[in-house]
Amino acid sequence: MVSPTFIFYLTLTLFLFLNVSTSTKTILVDKSGKGQFTTVQKAIDSIPSNNKQWTIILLNAGFYKERVTILKDKQYIILKGESRLSTVIEWDDSGNSLESSTFKLYASNFMARNITFKNTYDLVLVNDVVKKITWAPAALLYADKASFYECGFVGIQDTLTDLVGRHFFDGCYVEGAIDFIWGYGQSLYQNSEIHVNGKSIGNWNAYITAQGRESDTQTNGFVFKYCKVTGTGTAYLGRAYRNHSAVVYFRSTFDNIIAPEGWDIWKQAGKEKYITYAEVECKGPGANMSKRVKWEKTLTAEQQKKFVDQKLFLNQDGWIEEQRLHL
């Protein structure tokens, strides 16, 4: 007997084949002038408003020192570099958790591969003095259906402003120290490295996440599946940005940098029963849960599935498979 799941994906594949053009347009960006454009932003600006065709913006290796914004009417864009180590979009700005971002995404239906987004503020010394630690995002995601493959996000505070929408990260690298994955996003981080740059903030504690779910009727949250947490210093897995904050680590590995308590209630004291923070089958020297906060949740099998099952949590309409046809 054919399973309902098989029928669903067969129907989806046929629908996509018949209704969505698999053809793509390619634009080449090269800093030295060997492409159609020398900057990423000019390539994006060349795409017509209300575009319906998947367009690959291919970046030759290089460090692109520019701020990049993709507005709401520029959908169906793929940014593709050579590798996250050799293809970098970077900028130096700070002071605002939204406006200071190096990369800003407002358009749905977006993909990126083999690129690092970096905010260089706080990452360098000026006259041998560390700059003041403040908001300095590398990327702002304010759009639905965005996926990232083998990408990097590097900063110190608010590195990845995972603000609104469904987002999928596979094989990525995220580096920071203070609330460096934060926002209201509904996001799955899979097979990725979360790197705590604790040495950049001295004796302060680091905080990996600051997730902002505000109601038990909302479905957003951050899920880390098969990830590894590495780095230096002492780090909390998350602190509660809003009173229904939700973060789950599933079968992930922790270096010996996790604070024994694991989690911080921050500004939500008294709201512990509403917060969903959980570790499921994690391992490594930082995964000892004997001294974790008492209000950390133990999820039932059904609750786990709602977070960990990609289709239930993130991919209800098959958008990830649809995007991969064009990658």
Side-chain angles (χ1 to χ4, degrees):
M1 182 177 179
V2 179
S3 72
T5 301
F6 175 80
I7 293 173
F8 169 80
Y9 281 106
L10 178 60
T11 304
L12 174 65
T13 302
L14 289 172
F15 174 82
L16 294 172
F17 180 78
L18 294 172
N19 293 277
V20 180
S21 171
T22 57
S23 64
T24 56
K25 175 184 177 182
T26 300
I27 299 172
L28 180 62
V29 179
D30 184 275
K31 286 189 64 180
S32 64
K34 296 178 182 178
Q36 292 149 280
F37 298 96
T38 58
T39 71
V40 181
Q41 189 63 57
K42 286 182 179 178
I44 291 167
D45 293 343
S46 74
I47 297 172
S49 296
N50 302 312
N51 169 61
K52 299 297 183 183
Q53 179 186 24
W54 280 101
T55 302
I56 298 174
I57 299 178
L58 187 62
L59 279 60
N60 281 346
F63 285 74
Y64 295 84
K65 298 182 184 298
E66 56 177 304
R67 196 197 302 273
V68 173
T69 301
I70 302 180
L71 296 176
K72 190 175 182 179
D73 63 348
K74 303 276 187 177
Q75 293 194 44
Y76 302 105
I77 289 177
I78 303 170
L79 287 184
K80 197 170 184 180
E82 294 189 16
S83 77
R84 71 172 179 84
L85 297 178
S86 67
T87 311
V88 179
I89 299 172
E90 62 181 23
W91 194 249
D92 178 344
D93 194 12
S94 65
N96 189 296
S97 59
L98 304 179
E99 295 302 320
S100 299
S101 191
T102 299
F103 173 71
K104 300 177 187 176
L105 175 68
Y106 298 101
S108 297
N109 295 299
F110 171 85
M111 285 184 282
R113 185 165 205 156
N114 296 332
I115 295 174
T116 286
F117 305 93
K118 179 186 291 188
N119 193 322
T120 58
Y121 182 86
D122 280 338
L123 294 176
V124 296
L125 300 179
V126 177
N127 297 325
D128 295 325
V129 177
V130 178
K131 295 180 183 178
K132 177 184 177 182
I133 304 296
T134 186
W135 307 284
L140 162 67
L141 309 182
Y142 199 97
D144 193 33
K145 296 190 285 188
S147 57
F148 299 83
Y149 299 88
E150 293 88 37
C151 286
F153 304 86
V154 178
I156 296 298
Q157 182 169 352
D158 293 0
T159 301
L160 182 47
T161 298
D162 190 347
L163 204 61
V164 173
R166 292 173 294 169
H167 310 138
F168 179 59
F169 303 82
D170 192 14
C172 291
Y173 174 89
V174 189
E175 177 182 313
I178 300 175
D179 303 336
F180 63 97
I181 303 174
W182 82 279
Y184 307 85
Q186 186 165 331
S187 301
L188 174 61
Y189 297 78
Q190 181 173 286
N191 299 314
S192 296
E193 180 176 357
I194 312 303
H195 186 78
V196 178
N197 187 357
K199 64 182 180 182
S200 65
I201 55 174
N203 294 324
W204 294 8
N205 288 322
Y207 299 91
I208 295 171
T209 65
Q211 203 281 329
R213 188 168 69 169
E214 297 180 296
S215 165
D216 60 7
T217 63
Q218 295 179 338
T219 57
N220 60 336
F222 298 156
V223 177
F224 299 88
K225 184 177 180 180
Y226 313 141
C227 291
K228 57 182 180 180
V229 178
T230 63
T232 59
T234 300
Y236 286 80
L237 296 168
R239 59 179 176 174
Y241 181 54
R242 290 292 185 265
N243 58 21
H244 283 73
S245 184
V247 180
V248 175
Y249 291 82
F250 179 79
R251 294 183 182 173
S252 294
T253 303
F254 304 151
D255 277 1
N256 192 24
I257 61 169
I258 307 302
E261 304 90 340
W263 309 89
D264 190 333
I265 195 62
W266 200 12
K267 301 177 182 179
Q268 306 305 324
K271 308 287 186 178
E272 290 86 349
K273 67 180 181 179
Y274 301 116
I275 292 167
T276 302
Y277 285 165
E279 301 163 66
V280 181
E281 299 178 28
C282 294
K283 60 183 181 180
N288 185 338
M289 297 179 64
S290 63
K291 296 182 180 179
R292 291 294 196 254
V293 292
K294 290 182 171 50
W295 45 271
E296 179 173 5
K297 296 295 187 295
T298 300
L299 302 180
T300 65
E302 182 178 355
Q303 289 171 328
Q304 286 181 35
K305 191 172 182 180
K306 287 181 179 179
F307 284 104
V308 173
D309 187 298
Q310 183 187 104
K311 186 176 183 301
L312 291 177
F313 178 63
L314 193 70
N315 192 35
Q316 303 88 342
D317 50 357
W319 64 273
I320 293 176
E321 288 82 11
E322 191 279 328
Q323 286 191 351
R324 282 175 175 161
L325 292 175
H326 308 276
L327 190 60

